[in-house]
């Protein structure tokens, strides 16, 4: 009998060889670009962005311009999110869930600062059912009093109880950076007074503002254009074309400042700088994010990035950098959280590292690594995780083009050490947005970190 | 919660409903709860999960009024008195405010039971 290990070893080798040869030949951007971008169209007055990779599953989402940025009163976005897939005029919440389960579908509702997303993931052939469901949810939900008290409120309280220092610190940094609009918290905390604003009637009124053809985009990943054209038109007929009221759509302005919140539990510091908006041609911000980095991607190695090195020297804290891109502004945030004084030390190291980039630039090797990381971040965000879906919808609503992957990759290639140095210098000269949440006795002030606020 | 009832069958037959209506009105008035300021739905037994859930779904105003009527009736019962005639519940006031909620909750439970025992037929 042939031993199992010998057999698998041979098959592994056989598999590996042609695949390795193929990857060596093909260009990175060329392989990814055809399916990676969403194509915008309009079907019966509804903005639709779709991309079809002919896979067996589809993700269909209604992206509404109803994130926390646009809510007229605090907490309404959260209320509307929890009311998704509840009783409608046609069927009950239970039936919606059970029917989706029978079809093997998944229903999700979530929000970002700009968008409220109702998403369904399902098998390709069930497109008509889920198109009808999403249209029904946005146009015929009942917003009943008993559901609000029995389900919605409980869900909100449970999620509020889960908010940790890191989430509160990020909200606080947004708050000092943008004040209103983008500055309103992504999730209201237990102490946020929402009870006088949030009830089933105010949510229903907000739904009327949010869910109309002018304010939503349908984003499909893995659905055929013909199928969408056939089903979106009849089912979205009942969605009103516009609404009489107006959302809170003031444009964003960067302020900067510092906020400190005492809280039990873990410590968190967020250091924010003005970042790149959606669709802005600022490739150096993405590369800077790659250079600052986060948790190491390679096991047993601290990694090359600045924050990796800082956390390796101060165990107990974790740190990562992200560029939060919104339609008209961005926030480049370094988020540090963990236990005890290590958080403060990592914050000091992070700012030192940024200063080193601004003063002396970066080595060629680190730049190459950072560009590769930025490219990976871009592609994995648009392909693997769902963020591409939300970005496509939000961009469509803001009037911009969906992310053009191939062009953005090219721009990333063009970033030089000088550009990066200039970008870092600009960040440090401007006003930062710093928030510290946790044990304020050990957390440093922005002044101590060497930042202007 | 629901007891068997012939109401639907009677209501369908106009002549029967016309015949029984005066008898029904007399019977309801003779039952005596209206003389104590109660409504028919105040008499539904609270001691089961369905009615408890329905009571929670009442609006605060309705809930307050219900408690007020029941406490007033209890007081009248203790003191062996009836309300003055101008405070009796009239036929117009005696509307079902709890029954629709009970029906709604029962429908939800029935739907859940039906979905739980669903048989899938594949063609």
């Amino acid at each position: 009998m042939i031993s199992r290990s010998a057999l698998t070893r041979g098959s592994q080798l056989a598999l590996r060889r042609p695949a390795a040869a193929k990857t060596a030949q093909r260009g990175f951007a060329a392989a990814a670009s055809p399916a990676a971008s969403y194509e915008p169209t309009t079907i019966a007055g509804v903005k639709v962005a779709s991309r079809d990779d002919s896979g067996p599953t589809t993700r269909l989402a209604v992206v509404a311009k109803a994130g926390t940025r646009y809510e007229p009163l605090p907490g309404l976005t959260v209320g509307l999110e929890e009311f998704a897939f509840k009783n409608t005029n046609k069927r009950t919440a239970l039936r919606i869930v059970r029917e989706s389960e029978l079809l093997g579908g998944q229903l999700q509702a979530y929000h970002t600062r700009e968008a409220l997303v109702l998403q369904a993931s399902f098998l390709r052939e069930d497109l008509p059912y889920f198109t009808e469901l999403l249209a029904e949810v946005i146009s015929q939900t009942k917003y009943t009093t008993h559901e609000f008290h029995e389900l919605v409120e409980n869900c909100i309280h449970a999620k509020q109880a889960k908010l940790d220092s890191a989430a509160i610190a990020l909200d606080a940094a947004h708050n000092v950076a943008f004040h209103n609009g983008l500055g309103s918290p992504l999730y209201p905390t237990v102490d946020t007074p929402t009870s006088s604003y949030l009830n089933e009637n105010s949510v229903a009124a907000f739904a009327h503002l949010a869910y109309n053809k002018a304010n939503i985009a349908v984003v499909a990943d893995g659905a055929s254009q013909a199928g969408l054209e056939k089903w979106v038109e009849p089912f979205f007929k009942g969605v009103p074309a516009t609404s009489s009221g107006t959302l809170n759509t003031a444009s964003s302005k960067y302020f900067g400042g510092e906020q400190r919140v005492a809280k039990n539990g873990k410590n968190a510091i967020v250091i924010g700088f003005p970042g790149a908006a959606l669709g802005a041609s600022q490739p150096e911000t993405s590369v800077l994010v790659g250079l600052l980095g986060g948790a190491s991607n390679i096991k047993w190695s601290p990694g090359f990035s600045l924050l990796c090195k800082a956390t390796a020297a101060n165990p107990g804290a974790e740190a990562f950098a992200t560029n939060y891109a919104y339609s008209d502004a961005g926030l480049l945030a370094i988020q540090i959280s963990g236990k005890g004084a290590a958080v403060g030390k990592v914050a000091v190291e992070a700012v030192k590292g940024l200063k080193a980039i601004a003063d002396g630039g970066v080595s060629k090797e680190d730049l190459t690594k950072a560009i590769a990381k930025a490219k990976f971040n871009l592609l994995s965000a648009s392909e693997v995780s769902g963020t591409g879906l939300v970005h496509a919808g939000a961009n469509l609503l803001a009037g911009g083009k969906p992310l053009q992957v191939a062009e953005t990759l090219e721009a990333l290639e063009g970033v030089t050490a000088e550009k990066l140095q200039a970008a870092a210098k600009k960040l440090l000269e401007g006003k930062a947005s710093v928030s510290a949440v946790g044990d304020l006795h050990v957390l440093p002030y922005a002044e101590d970190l060497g930042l202007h606020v | 919660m629901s007891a068997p009832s012939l109401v639907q069958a009677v209501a369908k037959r106009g002549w029967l409903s016309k015949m029984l209506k005066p008898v029904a009105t007399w019977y309801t008035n003779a039952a005596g709860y209206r003389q104590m300021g109660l409504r028919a739905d105040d008499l539904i037994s609270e001691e089961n999960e369905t009615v408890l859930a329905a009571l929670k779904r009442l609006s605060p105003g309705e809930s307050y009024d219900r408690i007020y009527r029941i406490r007033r009736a209890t007081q009248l019962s203790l003191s062996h008195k009836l309300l003055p005639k101008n405070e009796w519940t009239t036929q117009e006031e005696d509307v079902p405010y709890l029954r629709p909620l009970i029906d709604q909750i029962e429908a939800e439970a029935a739907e859940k039971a039906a979905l739980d025992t669903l048989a899938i037929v594949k063609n």
Side-chain angles (χ1 to χ4, degrees):
Chain A
M1 200 175 148
I2 310 163
S3 87
R4 189 181 164 80
S5 62
L7 193 99
T8 45
R9 177 82 187 134
S11 59
Q12 272 174 2
L13 283 177
L15 272 174
R16 199 176 293 157
R17 205 163 298 136
K22 222 182 269 172
T23 39
Q25 282 168 7
R26 93 179 178 205
F28 200 37
S33 54
S37 302
Y38 285 90
E39 291 302 321
T41 48
T42 306
I43 301 173
V46 184
K47 295 186 204 80
V48 179
S50 68
R51 154 177 113 158
D52 188 9
D53 52 6
S54 304
T57 60
T58 304
R59 286 184 301 160
L60 186 70
V62 171
V63 180
K65 200 166 139 185
T68 46
R69 170 183 185 169
Y70 300 112
E71 63 186 8
L73 296 169
L76 291 191
T77 297
V78 170
L80 193 56
E81 177 196 318
E82 295 300 341
F83 256 117
F85 309 111
K86 292 284 181 291
N87 289 355
T88 68
N89 290 330
K90 283 189 187 162
R91 50 189 150 176
T92 61
L94 182 71
R95 187 166 288 275
I96 291 175
V97 172
R98 293 293 173 92
E99 284 179 351
S100 308
E101 278 176 355
L102 283 174
L103 294 173
Q106 294 173 352
L107 301 175
Q108 259 183 306
Y110 54 92
H111 71 277
T112 63
R113 275 172 215 280
E114 293 201 309
L116 177 64
V117 185
L118 309 183
Q119 186 180 321
S121 315
F122 48 88
L123 297 175
R124 198 179 173 85
E125 61 269 23
D126 297 328
L127 180 68
Y129 175 83
F130 285 95
T131 314
E132 182 185 17
L133 176 65
L134 288 180
E136 189 183 314
V137 166
I138 63 169
S139 59
Q140 300 200 46
T141 300
K142 281 188 192 163
Y143 305 103
T144 56
T145 311
H146 71 269
E147 280 174 310
F148 180 74
H149 292 306
E150 291 169 16
L151 305 166
V152 172
E153 271 186 332
N154 293 343
C155 282
I156 292 176
H157 291 157
K159 286 187 184 171
Q160 280 177 333
K162 273 196 211 162
L163 287 178
D164 58 355
S165 300
I168 294 171
L170 187 61
D171 273 349
H174 273 87
N175 188 242
V176 289
F178 301 113
H179 293 190
N180 298 314
L182 282 175
S184 49
L186 190 59
Y187 217 97
T189 60
V190 183
D191 298 325
T192 312
T194 51
S195 57
S196 51
Y197 310 116
L198 182 61
N199 56 54
E200 68 283 4
N201 297 322
S202 62
V203 172
F206 182 49
H208 188 69
L209 288 181
Y211 294 146
N212 54 67
K213 282 180 184 168
N215 206 42
I216 60 166
V218 174
V219 187
D221 181 5
S224 69
Q225 187 66 29
L228 285 172
E229 264 165 29
K230 189 171 174 198
W231 297 115
V232 166
E233 197 272 321
F235 290 135
F236 279 76
K237 212 182 267 172
V239 180
T242 51
S243 81
S244 47
T246 48
L247 292 161
N248 176 19
T249 50
S251 59
S252 301
K253 182 171 177 271
Y254 184 87
F255 293 91
E258 183 175 20
Q259 189 167 3
R260 293 166 70 80
V261 183
K263 190 177 184 306
N264 276 319
K266 285 212 288 189
N267 291 340
I269 291 184
V270 173
I271 303 168
F273 299 102
L278 269 183
S281 54
Q282 280 187 39
E284 53 277 9
T285 307
S286 308
V287 177
L288 200 56
V289 167
L291 195 60
L292 287 165
S296 173
N297 304 99
I298 302 160
K299 221 171 183 184
W300 315 125
S301 150
F304 79 97
S305 69
L306 283 171
L307 292 175
C308 283
K309 282 179 195 156
T311 46
N314 298 285
E318 50 189 44
F320 60 97
T322 324
N323 178 49
Y324 290 96
Y326 305 109
S327 57
D328 62 350
L331 188 74
L332 172 60
I334 300 172
Q335 301 177 61
I336 306 152
S337 63
K339 283 184 185 149
V343 174
K345 284 180 196 154
V346 173
V348 172
E349 288 299 314
V351 176
K352 259 188 209 161
L354 207 53
K355 278 196 176 143
I357 300 173
D359 293 340
V362 284
S363 72
K364 196 160 185 297
E365 195 191 335
D366 277 355
L367 182 68
T368 318
K369 285 177 186 170
I371 289 175
K373 185 81 188 99
K375 285 204 288 198
F376 178 79
N377 286 347
L378 173 78
L379 289 168
S380 76
S382 79
E383 275 186 355
V384 184
S385 62
T387 46
L389 201 88
V390 182
H391 280 192
N395 228 339
L396 201 57
L397 289 172
K401 275 195 302 181
L403 180 67
Q404 297 301 313
V405 175
E407 289 160 32
T408 319
L409 284 176
E410 231 167 77
L412 287 176
E413 293 278 4
V415 174
T416 59
E418 290 75 46
K419 273 189 192 168
L420 207 58
Q421 188 175 351
K425 201 172 236 172
K426 204 178 147 203
L427 291 186
L428 287 169
E429 279 166 3
K431 282 180 85 178
S433 310
V434 181
S435 68
V437 176
D439 179 4
L440 298 183
H441 179 65
V442 296
L443 294 178
Y445 285 83
E447 190 76 42
D448 305 335
L449 297 174
L451 294 167
H452 308 291
V453 287
Chain B
M1 172 53 224
S2 303
S5 161
L6 293 173
V7 170
Q8 295 303 324
V10 172
K12 241 186 263 170
R13 295 164 181 80
W15 58 274
L16 192 60
S17 144
K18 214 179 270 175
M19 225 173 81
L20 288 180
K21 191 88 185 178
V23 186
T25 312
W26 169 82
Y27 178 79
T28 316
N29 284 327
Y33 68 85
R34 286 183 179 171
Q35 282 81 338
M36 298 173 94
L38 290 169
R39 295 182 186 178
D41 278 6
D42 295 340
L43 306 178
I44 296 172
S45 164
E46 282 180 29
E47 281 82 20
N48 71 63
E49 295 294 325
T50 314
V51 183
L52 285 177
L55 287 176
K56 279 193 191 136
R57 291 189 186 181
L58 285 176
S59 71
E62 275 176 336
S63 191
Y64 182 91
D65 288 351
R66 172 191 158 84
I67 301 294
Y68 173 74
R69 288 193 302 270
I70 290 173
R71 293 190 68 164
R72 183 173 59 176
T74 313
Q75 190 59 34
L76 288 168
S77 169
L78 285 173
S79 56
H80 291 271
K81 279 181 187 162
L82 292 181
L83 281 177
K85 197 165 183 182
N86 60 348
E87 289 182 37
W88 290 4
T89 307
T90 60
Q91 202 173 343
E92 292 74 44
E93 279 168 5
D94 196 0
V95 287
Y97 65 95
L98 193 59
R99 175 58 61 184
L101 296 177
I102 294 173
D103 290 345
Q104 187 187 21
I105 292 168
E106 279 175 348
E108 280 168 19
E111 185 182 32
K112 183 163 191 293
L115 286 168
D116 281 348
T117 53
L118 185 77
I120 301 171
V121 182
K122 280 192 179 168
N123 309 318

